[in-house]
Amino acid sequence: MIKILLKNLFSQLCFGAIALLISFNLLTGNALALQVSDIPDLAEIKTLTDQTWVIDDSDVLSASTKSTIISKTEKLAELTGIEVHVVAIRRIDLGQPASEFTAELFDKWFPSEVEKANQVLLFMATEDHRTAIQTGSKVKEVLSDSVANSIADETMLYPARKANYNQSVNEGLARLEAVLRGNPDPGAPLLAVEETETSNYATREETEASSSNVVVIILLVLATLLPMATYYWLQSQP
């Protein structure tokens, strides 16, 4: 009778270890990550919010920042015909580059080259501390890829890493606006340039990925050793 109970316990340990691994994967993997397919089309967003200049799913941008974005992008569209959309969400898949996510969203919202031509998408994932930009062909005539990438990777990224999200968006948009209006590029903030040149610490996503890997390894070891130990102990019983 005792041996039967112990065998049942052994089976429960095996299933428990597997369930633990699955639960951990769901909690630390993509459960909180937003996919491009989760984001509505621009037409639907406009129906819900009456504008598409700023989409803040992360809920970190202040009312003042949102108002500034809307005012600046509307005026910029009237003056240049270029439409800038600012998107802030909480998290994307750690295994997907922010630039790839932004390109996929850009393709979803603007399927044809004609639709893409005069569009700019400024993107920020707040919990990931990641930024990116995507531009259309007409925009590239006045905004080079090097300057565009600098806006995302320096002007926006430095304050975003410090969780200064409003500063990140406001300064990124201000620099973008200056160039699109035909003014000289003010360049990246000095601190952002220094941070890019001298940074030798892990980003948040790198730290999270490393921590997750350690925990997974520990769980795998436990999931292997506990059932084995129980099994050999059962075999030793009379």
Side-chain angles (χ1 to χ4, degrees), residues 81-214:
I82 296 173
E83 299 183 351
V84 178
H85 308 272
V86 177
V87 177
I89 67 174
R90 289 184 177 85
R91 178 188 291 275
I92 64 174
D93 187 345
L94 286 178
Q96 182 179 35
S99 57
E100 181 181 289
F101 183 96
T102 308
E104 290 180 6
L105 182 58
F106 199 64
D107 289 340
K108 176 178 179 175
W109 281 354
F110 313 106
S112 71
E113 292 303 317
V114 173
E115 291 173 290
K116 288 182 174 71
N118 288 306
Q119 302 293 337
V120 177
L121 177 56
L122 275 181
F123 173 79
M124 177 170 62
T126 56
E127 290 185 9
D128 297 328
H129 296 173
R130 289 195 274 173
T131 54
I133 188 171
Q134 194 72 19
T135 60
S137 57
K138 292 292 184 182
V139 178
K140 293 179 187 295
E141 294 176 3
V142 292
L143 177 72
S144 68
D145 286 342
S146 61
V147 173
N149 291 332
S150 175
I151 290 172
D153 298 339
E154 295 177 323
T155 305
M156 293 181 64
L157 184 58
Y158 180 76
R161 279 181 172 174
K162 297 180 178 294
N164 296 327
Y165 305 119
N166 289 281
Q167 177 188 350
S168 173
V169 170
N170 282 321
E171 292 183 356
L173 182 59
R175 185 179 172 191
L176 177 64
E177 180 188 24
V179 177
L180 294 180
R181 283 176 174 268
N183 298 320
D185 174 25
L190 181 59
L191 286 176
V193 175
E194 292 176 349
E195 177 75 9
T196 301
E197 293 176 347
T198 63
S199 175
N200 58 4
Y201 58 83
T203 62
R204 175 171 175 170
E205 57 267 26
E206 290 170 342
T207 303
E208 288 178 346
S210 177
S211 300
S212 298
N213 289 337
V214 171

Side-chain angles (χ1 to χ4, degrees), residues 37-58:
S37 58
D38 298 325
I39 302 177
D41 293 332
L42 276 185
E44 184 178 349
I45 292 174
K46 188 165 187 177
T47 300
L48 295 172
T49 65
D50 200 35
Q51 59 85 28
T52 61
W53 306 113
V54 55
I55 296 94
D56 180 25
D57 181 69
S58 64

Side-chain angles (χ1 to χ4, degrees), residues 4-15:
I4 293 174
L5 290 174
L6 290 173
K7 285 183 177 179
N8 288 337
L9 177 60
F10 170 71
S11 298
Q12 290 174 4
L13 282 171
C14 291
F15 285 117

